[in-house]
Amino acid sequence: MIDAQAELFWTALEGLPRPTLKDLFADPMRLARYSATVDLPGGPIIFDWSKTHLSPEVEALLGSIAAAMDLEGRRDALISGEKINNTEGRAAEHTAQRGVGKESSVEDAADLHARMQMLVDAIHEGALGEVNSLIHIGIGGSALGPALAIDALTREGAKVAVHVVSNIDGCALEAAMKACDPATTMIAIASKTFTTTETMTNAHSALDWLRDGGVSDPFGRVVALTAAPEKAVEWGVDETRVLPFSETVGGRYSLWSSIGFPVAIALGWQGFAEFLDGAAAIDRHFIDIDLAENVIVRAAFADLYYAQVRACQTRAVFAYDERLALLPDYLQQLEMESNGKRVLADGSPLMRASAPVTWGGVGTDAQHAVFQLLHQGTHLIPVDFLAVKVPGHDLDPVHHQILLSNCFAQGAALMAGSASDDGARDYPGDRPSATILCDDLNPATLGALIAFHEHRTFVSAAMLGINPFDQFGVELGKAIAKQIDSGEGEGFDPSTEALLAAAGIGA
């Protein structure tokens, strides 16, 4: 049900004056108040939210909403392993995978990690023969996280080359297979239920490829990553190469579990352990730091302010580092699948805006594609910039200097604008942005960045009163597709019937 007290605070928030960013910076303490450096295992990260319209008055009301919605209690319930995913009757224990949570769940996660480490070490030591490549097959949370981590962290080389395949379009799998030698390739099948249509179809084709390539025992080259280990064994994977994870770990939160196997294969176990440590440090920040000083809560407060008060329907994320090119894609699923809801956790209607549309790209490419709209379009779009002080290459330092200069200049320009009598050259300014500046990009830093966004998403959900851990909205289209594939579908609308006929499906 809608919390009446929270609604009063939302109404008060909507009625506050709306000073410009320039006016807000008249406060000499603004930068100190809204920018914080958090020391983490991978190096310090600066979280600068000073170029947003947050103010003490705005934060006070958002803090009152947080209290009315029991944000602290919901956070504690998340960490302690309570069944906060009420629609599916389970906990959401991704933090336990990195050592923070209910003691028994943390111990179980450690045991499963030890099992995974044994297999990872065995592969690296050659116990399973020569392994130069891994084709990792999954979709959604089973693919986006591994793809991000591998792209970000292995550009200077990997212990094993990993190719992540998610799309059912055979072009994706075919490209991966062309890059690999069947004799030295393993297949990882990542599916929580071990029934996902796209994943299992790709898995069958990968087995055929191994068989056709002369591998006498293709199942002997397969590793299963799943919360349904019995289904993997039934499918044909040897139990010693089944790496389970808990049913309480959601797909888009599963990178820390055995779904991270390809990351560990690529980096080595030490790198994967550092990845977990970086995330755990953010967990501790979320738990230990007062809400008023918590960088996670501040980011969520800004998100809620723009979506609920300023009616911003989108939020843009731009990574000014090629290694983080896949981060906007990752955040799209995390935020939109988690918080793209129309009902509260109790099933009653959500009367406020749900999650904004998350989108973005890579700087400086995006500047020449979409920044025209950000600076002069009619939409108000909050922007997050992410950058790294240490470059990921050995070229002339001028490359990185220009990259970072552009990143910081865009935030300054969005805020300041530039007046002109020529409307085509007039920049209104007063457009919000936040900047996350990492000292270095390494496994611990990436783990911290991902965990920061996980908790940021959770805070928004808690303050709206929705359940961010189910995703029933993805099921209807998949169910209809299965009806079509099985020949049981009938009575579609005329457009769909015509398209099926034109494509020769079901004829």
Side-chain angles (χ1 to χ4, degrees):
M1 295 177 61
I2 298 170
D3 186 278
Q5 187 178 29
E7 279 303 309
L8 290 175
F9 292 128
W10 280 118
T11 300
L13 186 62
E14 291 160 359
L16 283 179
R18 300 183 182 182
T20 66
L21 292 172
K22 181 179 179 181
D23 291 338
L24 291 171
F25 267 96
D27 176 3
M29 297 303 295
R30 179 165 183 81
L31 180 62
R33 179 177 289 117
Y34 291 106
S35 179
T37 300
V38 180
D39 291 321
L40 297 162
I45 299 180
I46 296 172
F47 296 88
D48 184 355
W49 256 252
S50 62
K51 294 191 190 74
T52 70
H53 292 88
L54 290 177
S55 67
E57 295 78 14
V58 168
E59 286 200 310
L61 282 170
L62 285 165
S64 296
I65 295 168
M69 298 303 294
D70 192 23
L71 173 59
E72 289 187 335
R74 294 183 190 218
R75 176 199 61 193
D76 294 345
L78 169 73
I79 301 298
S80 64
E82 294 183 29
K83 292 182 179 180
I84 59 173
N85 180 358
N86 62 297
T87 56
E88 297 179 300
R90 62 173 72 119
E93 295 190 291
H94 43 284
T95 67
Q97 299 294 311
R98 47 226 197 196
V100 179
K102 185 169 65 175
E103 184 176 355
S104 60
S105 299
V106 168
E107 291 174 355
D108 289 343
D111 289 342
L112 293 175
H113 279 145
R115 177 186 175 119
M116 181 163 75
Q117 181 180 3
M118 289 176 62
L119 182 57
V120 168
D121 290 345
I123 292 170
H124 287 157
E125 292 165 4
L128 277 68
E130 184 181 0
V131 177
N132 296 327
S133 304
L134 174 74
I135 297 178
H136 175 84
I137 298 173
I139 197 166
S142 297
L144 286 166
L148 165 63
I150 289 160
D151 188 50
L153 301 174
T154 66
R155 293 192 173 217
E156 295 182 359
K159 290 180 178 292
V160 173
V162 177
H163 305 267
V164 178
V165 175
S166 57
N167 201 332
I168 189 61
D169 186 338
C171 292
L173 179 58
E174 191 172 63
M177 294 189 300
K178 285 180 178 178
C180 300
D181 177 358
T184 60
T185 300
M186 294 194 70
I187 308 294
I189 303 172
S191 173
K192 184 170 184 177
T193 63
F194 226 72
T195 60
T196 310
T197 299
E198 298 95 329
T199 298
M200 302 316 296
T201 302
N202 278 332
H204 279 292
S205 294
L207 281 177
D208 290 341
W209 172 73
L210 289 176
R211 193 176 292 109
D212 294 343
V215 177
S216 58
D217 178 19
F219 280 99
R221 308 293 288 177
V222 174
V223 178
L225 320 172
T226 183
E230 70 288 344
K231 284 189 171 65
V233 173
E234 181 182 338
W235 193 77
V237 184
D238 188 273
E239 186 178 5
T240 60
R241 282 174 282 100
V242 175
L243 299 178
F245 61 92
S246 172
E247 186 71 26
T248 59
V249 177
R252 59 192 172 279
Y253 301 92
S254 63
L255 183 54
W256 324 100
S257 70
S258 64
I259 296 297
F261 170 77
V263 182
I265 281 290
L267 295 180
W269 189 262
Q270 181 60 36
F272 186 69
E274 292 170 4
F275 180 66
L276 297 176
D277 288 343
I282 287 292
D283 293 336
R284 289 188 286 273
H285 177 94
F286 186 38
I287 297 166
D288 295 338
I289 302 300
D290 185 81
L291 297 187
E293 304 298 327
N294 200 297
V295 296
I296 295 160
V297 175
R298 176 165 295 142
F301 276 8
D303 295 342
L304 288 162
Y305 176 75
Y306 287 115
Q308 304 300 324
V309 178
R310 297 290 185 102
C312 297
Q313 295 185 341
T314 80
R315 185 175 79 83
V317 180
F318 296 100
Y320 275 71
D321 193 299
E322 186 72 20
R323 295 167 294 177
L324 293 174
L326 296 180
L327 183 61
D329 290 352
Y330 180 85
L331 295 180
Q332 280 182 342
Q333 187 201 20
L334 174 64
E335 298 177 3
M336 294 166 67
E337 192 167 274
S338 294
N339 290 351
K341 307 294 170 58
R342 61 185 296 112
V343 298
L344 301 176
D346 64 3
S348 60
L350 172 65
M351 304 305 290
R352 301 200 145 268
S354 65
V357 174
T358 305
W359 64 284
V362 179
T364 56
D365 290 0
Q367 292 176 198
H368 298 267
V370 300
F371 275 45
Q372 168 65 41
L373 185 147
L374 295 177
H375 285 285
Q376 292 186 308
T378 58
H379 301 278
L380 181 66
I381 301 175
V383 176
D384 280 6
F385 296 105
L386 291 97
V388 182
K389 286 173 62 177
V390 177
H393 59 80
D394 296 321
L395 299 181
D396 189 324
V398 70
H399 285 270
H400 205 59
Q401 178 180 329
I402 294 172
L403 177 71
L404 293 183
S405 296
N406 272 272
C407 177
F408 305 145
Q410 290 298 328
L414 285 166
M415 172 181 157
S418 179
S420 173
D421 293 334
D422 179 354
R425 291 173 171 81
D426 182 68
Y427 296 77
D430 196 36
R431 303 203 167 191
S433 69
T435 302
I436 298 174
L437 179 61
C438 304
D439 210 51
D440 193 12
L441 184 60
N442 50 50
T445 302
L446 183 64
L449 284 176
I450 294 174
F452 166 82
H453 285 93
E454 285 180 348
H455 291 313
R456 174 183 185 173
T457 301
F458 172 77
V459 171
S460 289
M463 290 181 60
L464 290 175
I466 64 177
N467 175 8
F469 300 114
D470 62 15
Q471 58 282 329
F472 297 114
V474 306
E475 297 300 325
L476 180 58
K478 291 164 62 176
I480 293 175
K482 288 181 178 179
Q483 290 176 14
I484 293 171
D485 291 338
S486 67
E488 297 175 358
E490 58 182 40
F492 297 118
D493 61 87
S495 170
T496 302
E497 292 284 4
L499 291 169
L500 290 169
I505 297 175

